[in-house]
Amino acid sequence: MNNIVIVARKEIQEGLRNRWVLATTLLLGALALTLSFLGSAPTGNVGVNQLDVVIVSLSSLTIFLVPLIALLLAHDAIVGEIERGTMLLLISYPIGRRQIIFGKFLGHLAILAFATLFGYGTAAAALAMTGTEIGLASWWAFLAMITSSILLGMVFIAIGYVTSALSSERSTAGGIAIGVWLFFVLIYDMALLGVLVAAEGRPLPTGLLDGLLVLNPTDAYRLLNLGSGEAGALSGLGGIAGHTGLSGPMLVAALIAWIVAPLALTLRIFSRREL
């Protein structure tokens, strides 16, 4: 465990030195504040809770931005160390490859979690300071959104490690990471929409629809945060969520599975890779 913490501290220090922590925190904070005040401006006229509008806005932002940040953090975690020759130095110490991966994961998670908590938390605090009346249910939904956003980031950190373990060059890993982001964030949903259009109005079997949705972690995240309650009504996803058999715990389990499986694959690849 001590070795894992040492590696994690190294990743955090590199993130501080390379301005990753500062850049991601400022980016998420600035965008969250903008969405909070511009996106919630009309709610006073329509009687909608402002924090619920913020949850919808930030969830949509998270789907595009958090996976990209996570992949940029993680895509060179292994191949970059190998190219710089520092991986051989790490291996020369009494530390296992499994501990290296878990340490890096913990360090990158700390960077992403801090940026998300501080950035989104700042937006909520600013909204509360305006004197806006916010119900307890909305605060719980906001906390759940932040927690699931961190889970989504963990998914794409783990996926980034797979691309890093498979790649022989940092540039290749970066290209694959961008391709992964495009696939899960844009292409997959366009293909799913094409399937629904091809069905010509006939509903897909519930089991098939559920499977297609959890095969994309961003869709699982989207349903988890935008599929029920006030957020579901505002986002328009309440209708889709009503036609699936996916509950909140099932969607959380799907995200956890998306973390565990890529990490296990990374460990398998990295343990067999020659340095």
Side-chain angles (χ1 to χ4, degrees):
M1 185 63 183
N2 188 50
N3 287 336
I4 293 175
V5 173
I6 290 173
V7 176
R9 187 185 301 123
K10 168 183 170 294
E11 293 299 323
I12 294 172
Q13 289 172 345
E14 289 185 357
L16 290 169
R17 186 167 58 252
N18 296 331
R19 304 293 190 270
W20 261 111
V21 178
L22 178 63
T24 54
T25 302
L26 289 178
L27 178 62
L28 289 176
L31 291 175
L33 283 170
T34 302
L35 290 175
S36 296
F37 288 104
L38 294 183
S40 62
T43 58
N45 299 324
V46 296
V48 178
N49 191 307
Q50 289 191 20
L51 189 58
D52 291 328
V53 177
V54 171
I55 290 171
V56 173
S57 300
L58 292 184
S59 296
S60 300
L61 170 69
T62 297
I63 290 169
F64 287 92
L65 196 56
V66 169
L68 181 60
I69 292 173
L71 287 168
L72 291 176
L73 274 172
H75 78 277
D76 67 342
I78 298 172
V79 68
E81 296 269 17
I82 294 174
E83 282 192 356
R84 291 189 296 268
T86 51
M87 185 63 75
L88 282 173
L89 180 62
L90 275 175
I91 296 295
S92 67
Y93 291 105
I95 180 172
R97 298 193 182 198
R98 183 185 299 269
Q99 293 173 316
I100 291 174
I101 296 300
F102 286 146
K104 285 180 171 293
F105 185 78
L106 183 61
H108 288 144
L109 170 59
I111 293 172
L112 190 62
F114 175 81
T116 305
L117 285 169
F118 187 86
Y120 289 2
T122 299
L127 190 62
M129 289 173 63
T130 63
T132 302
E133 184 177 348
I134 301 173
L136 183 60
S138 295
W139 281 117
W140 278 113
F142 185 77
L143 180 61
M145 186 272 296
I146 291 180
T147 304
S148 58
S149 297
I150 295 172
L151 273 178
L152 184 66
M154 293 168 67
V155 169
F156 282 91
I157 289 173
I159 293 174
Y161 288 170
V162 175
T163 66
S164 189
L166 288 171
S167 302
S168 57
E169 297 180 354
R170 291 178 64 190
S171 58
T172 302
I176 295 174
I178 296 300
V180 167
W181 179 80
L182 287 171
F183 175 78
F184 282 115
V185 174
L186 297 174
I187 297 173
Y188 186 95
D189 284 339
M190 292 175 62
L192 181 57
L193 180 61
V195 170
L196 295 175
V197 170
E200 298 180 346
R202 296 187 299 273
L204 294 178
T206 301
L208 176 60
L209 181 60
D210 292 353
L212 291 173
L213 289 172
V214 298
L215 281 176
N216 185 349
T218 62
D219 284 337
Y221 171 87
R222 186 182 281 112
L223 281 177
L224 185 61
N225 290 284
L226 304 177
S228 61
E230 292 293 333
L234 289 169
S235 66
L237 285 178
I240 296 177
H243 287 83
T244 70
L246 297 170
S247 63
M250 293 172 66
L251 292 168
V252 171
L255 288 174
I256 293 174
W258 266 106
I259 297 168
V260 173
L263 277 179
L265 181 58
T266 300
L267 289 170
R268 184 178 180 86
I269 297 170
F270 185 46
S271 63
R272 298 183 176 185
R273 178 164 181 171
E274 294 183 3
L275 304 181

